[in-house]
Amino acid sequence: NKQDGVVIRYDTLSQLYKPELRTKFIVHGFLHNANKKWVLDMKDALLKVEDQNVITVDWSKGNGFPYTQATANTQIVGAEIARLVNSMIANKGAKASDFHLIGHSLGAHIMGYAGSRIKGLARITGLDPAGPYFENTDPVVRLDPSDAKYVDAIHSDGSSTLQIGLGLMQPLGHADFYPNGGKVQPNCPQTSDKLINAIFNLISLDINGVEEGIGCNHMAAVTYFQESIENANCQYTAFQCDSKDNFDNGKCLTCSSKGCNRMGYWSDPAKESGSLFLKTDSPLKNTFCMQNFRVKLASNTKYNQARGTFKIAFKTANGDTSKQFVLDDSETTFKSGSTNTKLLSIAETRVNNLIESVYISYTKTTNFLSSWLYDSSWSFSTIEVFSGDDQHNARFCSTSDTIQSTFVEFKKC
């Protein structure tokens, strides 16, 4: 725990270290240090969930301005971590398969440098790996899949440097997770261009101002990972997909025979790999996980076309009714006899395959120029709801052939 923590070197390992247990390393990135709240909170969460060794690395004497020098120093820090781990293996009887290295931003690449020097290392987790000077470089320069048996990365601030992002979108591991598309997180501002200019130039800023600038998108990966450690109710189920657009259109919720993977601490090398997408709630909230559903709506031929706000709610087997969620807000033109697929991501206590009824309402768009084109009522013959978390599909049939602003029930059929 925090009180019992001691400073160690590769040649003076503390008696607190237990080689028979698994070991986690945590390393910060640019401008941070090992006493940052997130580092201490993550250490506490790791110790709470499992009896293990947790080692935090402080390289704050070498991670300040200019950014170019900090990037160069990552190689030295990585070599020193590898020296420590290899000493634990050689002198204490530890096994490389028991080590998991966790790094944020520049720290992700530090762990890559360390892993390339540790034969048989179990896992590296990169939390929004830094983009500037690393994206699209040779694998030897950055975190890559050869650095450990399992490399997973969470991308949360992956807009290109020209678009003011501090992370990267390039896949770096066996499993790369892209919450909310991986570029901008819900309710987070894009990193300011003033901050980017400061990082690339030799300007020394007020550190708190810099912290504030990188505090949301870039730190979101840390927030999500930390939440995943202890919160068993938050699955963070992620889905293999080739693009954010396809995921947002509900095309990627079906998992292979390997099974869905999970973003965060409980990510599993035996599960699906590659580029994995999911939706989360805002990292500014207290809990961030969401359930993802594919909702397939089959329109009948009673009306011509509809555009407006469609809302949906669920009733479960125990009689509980969910909140109302917006399924489509004037984004889609529903046409007679068509089938439309929507992704519904909800932040709510688990709604699972016990859904007994679905409720739908429709309010026509009030756009003055185009509202005359659309019917004020609509009709669906069936609605299918597929749960990404449970991989379960249910079909519901209408109890009314007219849907308006009052909710109409669809019962399981």
Side-chain angles (χ1 to χ4, degrees):
N1 60 36
K2 185 176 178 181
Q3 288 72 31
D4 292 337
V6 295
V7 176
I8 59 172
R9 286 170 43 96
Y10 76 94
D11 54 354
T12 58
L13 280 173
S14 163
Q15 294 299 311
L16 288 175
Y17 173 66
K18 298 177 181 177
E20 69 277 10
L21 299 179
R22 289 193 280 197
T23 300
K24 302 288 189 291
F25 276 75
I26 306 170
V27 65
H28 59 81
F30 186 56
L31 300 178
H32 283 194
N33 60 61
N35 288 316
K36 293 296 294 181
K37 185 176 186 301
W38 74 262
V39 176
L40 299 176
D41 286 349
M42 186 177 293
K43 175 262 298 177
D44 290 342
L46 290 167
L47 290 173
K48 187 174 178 181
V49 81
E50 188 177 341
D51 186 14
Q52 56 189 330
N53 305 295
V54 179
I55 297 170
T56 61
V57 179
D58 193 311
W59 64 294
S60 56
K61 296 278 173 60
N63 72 338
F65 295 103
Y67 179 78
T68 47
Q69 184 61 55
T71 63
N73 291 343
T74 57
Q75 298 187 45
I76 301 164
V77 182
E80 287 295 320
I81 292 171
R83 189 182 194 187
L84 174 58
V85 172
N86 286 326
S87 174
M88 292 168 160
I89 294 168
N91 301 323
K92 295 291 184 178
K95 299 192 291 288
S97 58
D98 283 336
F99 285 87
H100 177 188
L101 312 184
I102 303 161
H104 173 241
S105 191
L106 288 179
H109 300 297
I110 285 174
M111 294 317 201
Y113 292 129
S116 66
R117 293 173 167 84
I118 303 166
K119 188 176 180 180
L121 176 67
R123 181 180 174 188
I124 295 174
T125 296
L127 303 176
D128 205 39
Y133 296 119
F134 291 97
E135 189 157 23
N136 300 318
T137 54
D138 188 283
V140 74
V141 177
R142 56 171 170 77
L143 179 63
D144 75 89
S146 70
D147 294 329
K149 289 181 178 177
Y150 184 51
V151 177
D152 60 303
I154 300 174
H155 303 263
S156 60
D157 190 21
S159 298
S160 69
T161 303
L162 292 175
Q163 293 177 298
I164 331 295
L166 294 177
L168 43 67
M169 289 296 286
Q170 180 184 9
L172 300 177
H174 299 96
D176 285 81
F177 296 88
Y178 297 92
N180 310 298
K183 291 186 177 181
V184 179
Q185 301 309 302
N187 298 337
C188 280
Q190 283 207 335
T191 309
S192 72
D193 52 359
K194 179 181 176 183
L195 172 62
I196 289 289
N197 287 335
I199 288 172
F200 283 117
N201 296 313
L202 305 182
I203 303 169
S204 182
L205 289 187
D206 166 54
I207 296 299
N208 289 328
V210 174
E211 291 280 355
E212 194 173 318
I214 64 175
C216 199
N217 288 313
H218 196 40
M219 288 302 297
V222 170
T223 305
Y224 298 147
F225 183 83
Q226 194 157 307
E227 166 85 359
S228 75
I229 297 171
E230 290 186 78
N231 190 345
N233 293 322
C234 191
Q235 293 288 307
Y236 282 124
T237 306
F239 306 92
Q240 202 174 62
C241 202
D242 56 4
S243 72
K244 179 181 183 292
D245 283 347
N246 280 342
F247 179 74
D248 287 346
N249 287 320
K251 296 179 179 178
C252 301
L253 289 195
T254 304
C255 296
S256 71
S257 57
K258 285 185 174 181
C260 303
N261 212 333
R262 295 169 64 178
M263 181 178 76
Y265 185 72
W266 302 103
S267 184
D268 186 344
K271 302 290 187 182
E272 284 197 331
S273 57
S275 295
L276 301 154
F277 289 75
L278 69 159
K279 286 279 188 76
T280 74
D281 209 342
S282 169
L284 302 175
K285 293 189 175 181
N286 292 325
T287 185
F288 327 104
C289 58
M290 300 182 93
Q291 289 176 261
N292 296 284
F293 295 90
R294 182 177 65 229
V295 182
K296 190 180 290 186
L297 306 121
S299 299
N300 64 28
T301 57
K302 183 175 181 181
Y303 300 101
N304 184 37
Q305 62 180 3
R307 193 177 182 94
T309 303
F310 286 87
K311 293 183 178 179
I312 189 169
F314 303 108
K315 185 168 76 175
T316 58
N318 61 8
D320 290 338
T321 303
S322 73
K323 291 186 291 189
Q324 301 172 17
F325 304 100
V326 175
L327 189 59
D328 185 276
D329 191 7
S330 301
E331 293 177 354
T332 308
T333 298
F334 291 82
K335 294 186 178 293
S336 175
S338 67
T339 299
N340 296 84
T341 301
K342 311 299 292 183
L343 176 70
L344 177 66
S345 301
I346 63 174
E348 168 129 326
T349 307
R350 272 182 72 72
V351 175
N352 56 24
N353 57 20
L354 297 177
I355 296 173
E356 287 295 317
S357 296
V358 172
Y359 295 86
I360 294 281
S361 71
Y362 163 59
T363 305
K364 186 179 75 167
T365 183
T366 55
N367 184 311
F368 176 76
L369 293 176
S370 60
S371 63
W372 61 272
L373 290 169
Y374 307 117
D375 293 296
S376 56
S377 302
W378 196 244
S379 183
F380 295 116
S381 54
T382 61
I383 296 175
E384 289 185 26
V385 179
F386 179 82
S387 166
D389 285 77
D390 298 314
Q391 295 290 288
H392 179 271
N393 195 63
R395 191 165 176 265
F396 302 87
C397 292
S398 177
T399 59
S400 170
D401 61 0
T402 299
I403 301 170
Q404 293 177 327
S405 57
T406 302
F407 277 88
V408 169
E409 183 178 13
F410 285 67
K411 292 186 175 180
K412 203 177 266 190
C413 55

